[in-house]
Amino acid sequence: MEFKLNDNGCSSAECVIVPVFENQELCVSCEGIKKMINSVRNSEAFKAVKGDIYHFTNISEETIKHILLVGLGKNEEITSEDVRKIFSKVVKKARELKIASASVKFFTTDGLCKKGTIKAIAEGMALADYSFDKYKTNKSEITLKEVSIVDINDEDKEILESALKEGLSLIKSTVFARDLVNEPANTIYPETLAERCIDAGKAYGFEIEVLDENQIRELGMEAFLAVGMSAFNKPRFIIMRYFGNKEDKENILGLVGKGLTYDAGGYSLKPTQGMVDMKSDMGGAAAVIGAMCSIAEMKLKKNVVAVVAACENLISNDAYKPGDIISSMAGKTIEVVNTDAEGRLTLADAVYYITSRENVNKVIDVATLTGAVLGALGTLTTGVITNDEAFYNDLLSAGKRSGEKFWQLPAFEEYKELLKSKVADYKNSGGRFAGTITAGLFIGEFLYKPMPWLHLDIAGTSFVDGAKDYLTAGGTAAPLRTLYYLVREN
């Protein structure tokens, strides 16, 4: 889907999309269309409530133009997330009508900046149109190919073009991340994930270093290797570096993405149905990789290093077992009580590496870590464990821009008692109570030194079974856009 700005309010597009607020006078430059719209509004067939869509056609001079009236609700109440959801409905209606080109009348609101509005329109439409049909013989037809955003004031055009460019970058990175998650595990495994990262680094402009299993062993990442050496496809440690502000190398943000390209649970084997979507256990890695793409493409004046410990968790003669005691890059020992609590083991070494070797002074780990987070927060909200309230507030501010939701869980010291082992420094699972909290706190024990840290459990938000609004079935790429805004604003 191609987006462009167009000064002409009456474009040659097949469809005119007119956003309308409740009880607010309409401003449309085409008088003929304006009369028809006012007739519909006067008949009360269209109330302009949030998300309401009314379709009619204007027939003139042997041409048919589709008109979509789109309800925005009350001006003072609308949010950027509302705009995304509303325009996701618009693109689905356009697909139903087999419309190839459309013009959208730009609008302003009391509570949203113009830049946020234009990005939300593009994101809602483009991301709702995403589908992963690479392996289907009969592929989905993309009908809506061109979208013009019209009635742009000359004084706004430059800043809106810049905002649209940023929005399109985030859309492209989100699609890339969704594709990574939706690819089956026989095509995306540690080596091929690393290859995709190398290609992305070349395309977007960030450095890439990939370590094989021997180099990983030299670093002492025994926890990571314990998980990854069970598979034929051996682990890879992927390091991405972007230094957009070389004058301030003291400030580097670290991003860590969980990279289990497939998780069968090891000897703590998952049931068959529980394995089907375990290609998605690298959703954290995909979000981090995608965020790095937009950070570099938009040339943010920030410094970011991201790492992914990529591996598969399977069963073989080399697989680790419940009851094993393993070490870690930090030198701390771990009693394995559940081989399906594997992600925190890979993250322990990844977090220790990035905080000890890459000079980061803040770190965020992103992981599809626990089923417990779905019991607590469902599929709407990402669970957060942190040691720094200011850093968490920065995350919430970024989330307001992206529309992604977060909720802080308690991190009381008493919860760490559940991780104590009788035979090692820690157990890799604190049991079924407070599972999301103890899993996050386990990772936090592997910071090289005290620093602001956020743990984001995206097990509920990274993958959806069916389409809803601008999220389509499969990987969502959450929280890619939040990570981007967090970097941009801090």
Side-chain angles (χ1 to χ4, degrees):
M1 189 181 296
E2 181 183 352
F3 290 86
K4 60 183 179 180
L5 303 186
N6 191 333
D7 296 329
N8 182 7
C10 287
S11 75
S12 59
E14 295 175 29
C15 177
V16 177
I17 298 168
V18 184
V20 185
F21 288 105
E22 290 182 55
N23 304 318
Q24 186 169 314
E25 186 176 347
L26 197 61
C27 179
V28 178
S29 56
C30 293
E31 286 300 322
I33 293 175
K34 185 175 182 178
K35 287 179 182 179
M36 296 188 71
I37 292 172
N38 284 332
S39 296
V40 173
R41 294 190 71 183
N42 292 337
S43 71
E44 296 192 351
F46 172 73
K47 300 285 190 181
V49 296
K50 198 179 292 183
D52 191 14
I53 296 178
Y54 187 92
H55 168 245
F56 63 93
T57 55
N58 179 32
I59 304 175
S60 63
E61 298 178 1
E62 299 181 351
T63 63
I64 298 177
K65 190 180 286 289
H66 296 277
I67 314 294
L68 291 182
L69 302 187
V70 182
L72 299 178
K74 292 182 172 58
N75 187 307
E76 66 274 11
E77 294 179 358
I78 196 165
T79 66
S80 63
E81 185 67 355
D82 290 331
V83 175
R84 290 184 195 93
K85 290 179 178 180
I86 289 166
F87 277 87
S88 73
K89 293 181 179 180
V90 171
V91 81
K92 290 169 187 175
K93 185 67 176 179
R95 185 188 302 141
E96 177 188 318
L97 296 169
K98 300 188 183 305
I99 291 166
S101 61
S103 63
V104 179
K105 184 193 179 307
F106 188 64
F107 60 95
T108 57
T109 79
D110 293 340
L112 292 180
C113 70
K114 294 176 182 179
K115 294 187 292 183
T117 299
I118 201 166
K119 285 190 290 185
I121 291 170
E123 288 168 357
M125 296 184 78
L127 295 180
D129 211 35
Y130 170 85
S131 64
F132 186 77
D133 57 5
K134 178 179 176 180
Y135 298 100
K136 286 187 175 183
T137 304
N138 298 318
K139 301 184 187 300
S140 302
E141 183 183 358
I142 299 174
T143 54
L144 184 56
K145 297 177 181 178
E146 296 180 5
V147 177
S148 297
I149 301 175
V150 302
D151 288 353
I152 303 291
N153 294 328
D154 288 340
E155 62 268 23
D156 293 332
K157 192 167 185 180
E158 186 175 342
I159 63 165
L160 290 181
E161 283 178 339
S162 175
L164 183 59
K165 178 182 177 182
E166 184 176 52
L168 294 178
S169 175
L170 288 168
I171 289 165
K172 185 167 56 173
S173 295
T174 298
V175 167
F176 176 50
R178 286 183 179 183
D179 282 347
L180 287 178
V181 174
N182 291 331
E183 284 280 1
N186 59 327
T187 62
I188 290 293
Y189 43 90
E191 185 176 359
T192 55
L193 180 62
E195 289 170 357
R196 298 282 181 102
C197 288
I198 291 169
D199 291 342
K202 291 176 181 177
Y204 292 98
F206 56 87
E207 299 173 20
I208 284 282
E209 182 180 1
V210 178
L211 308 183
D212 63 19
E213 64 269 31
N214 294 321
Q215 294 167 302
I216 294 166
R217 185 175 289 107
E218 288 174 6
L219 285 172
M221 293 185 172
E222 294 185 28
F224 174 28
L225 287 173
V227 178
M229 292 305 289
S230 63
F232 174 80
N233 295 313
K234 296 308 177 190
R236 293 291 183 268
F237 193 70
I238 305 164
I239 308 161
M240 296 161 275
R241 301 181 182 97
Y242 170 77
F243 296 107
N245 189 357
K246 295 182 179 180
E247 297 174 358
D248 188 23
K249 279 201 173 181
E250 298 302 312
N251 285 313
I252 304 173
L253 174 67
L255 299 176
V256 181
K258 179 183 172 184
L260 266 292
T261 58
Y262 189 76
D263 177 23
Y267 279 107
S268 301
L269 193 66
K270 295 177 185 290
T272 300
Q273 192 56 40
M275 291 190 207
V276 173
D277 291 329
M278 281 300 103
K279 63 183 182 180
S280 69
D281 211 17
M282 41 68 71
V288 163
I289 295 164
M292 289 294 287
C293 291
S294 279
I295 289 165
E297 183 175 40
M298 296 307 299
K299 294 180 170 54
L300 298 188
K301 199 172 181 181
K302 305 291 179 179
N303 301 318
V304 187
V305 175
V307 300
V308 170
C311 67
E312 298 174 325
N313 185 29
L314 301 176
I315 293 174
S316 72
N317 290 336
D318 295 324
Y320 72 138
K321 305 169 290 297
D324 284 358
I325 298 175
I326 60 177
S327 190
S328 63
M329 187 178 178
K332 299 175 181 179
T333 57
I334 305 160
E335 178 190 6
V336 177
V337 297
N338 186 337
T339 62
D340 197 24
E342 84 302 326
R344 65 204 70 182
L345 297 176
T346 66
L347 289 166
D349 277 344
V351 164
Y352 186 82
Y353 169 86
I354 201 169
T355 56
S356 65
R357 298 294 184 96
E358 295 292 341
N359 299 316
V360 301
N361 55 354
K362 290 183 179 179
V363 66
I364 305 171
D365 73 83
V366 187
T368 50
L369 206 63
T370 67
V373 78
L374 281 101
L377 300 174
T379 59
L380 182 66
T381 306
T382 292
V384 182
I385 301 291
T386 186
N387 62 3
D388 190 285
E389 291 299 316
F391 200 16
Y392 175 66
N393 288 332
D394 291 339
L395 176 76
L396 293 182
S397 295
K400 287 181 180 178
R401 294 180 183 275
S402 70
E404 295 170 330
K405 294 177 172 59
F406 303 87
W407 195 262
Q408 183 180 0
L409 297 170
F412 304 130
E413 286 292 317
E414 289 85 347
Y415 284 118
K416 294 180 182 179
E417 295 293 320
L418 297 172
L419 295 170
K420 286 186 175 179
S421 167
K422 294 179 181 178
V423 293
D425 295 326
Y426 304 101
K427 296 185 294 184
N428 76 322
S429 174
R432 69 187 187 94
F433 296 120
T436 301
I437 295 169
T438 56
L441 290 175
F442 177 90
I443 296 166
E445 291 298 292
F446 290 83
L447 295 170
Y448 173 66
K449 60 184 178 181
M451 67 178 64
W453 160 69
L454 293 168
H455 162 69
L456 310 184
D457 193 333
I458 60 169
T461 54
S462 65
F463 197 89
V464 291
D465 292 328
K468 185 178 180 182
D469 300 320
Y470 60 92
L471 301 180
T472 56
T476 66
L480 184 160
R481 289 178 298 114
T482 299
L483 294 175
Y484 172 87
Y485 287 122
L486 183 62
V487 172
R488 192 191 75 176
E489 297 300 315
N490 296 279

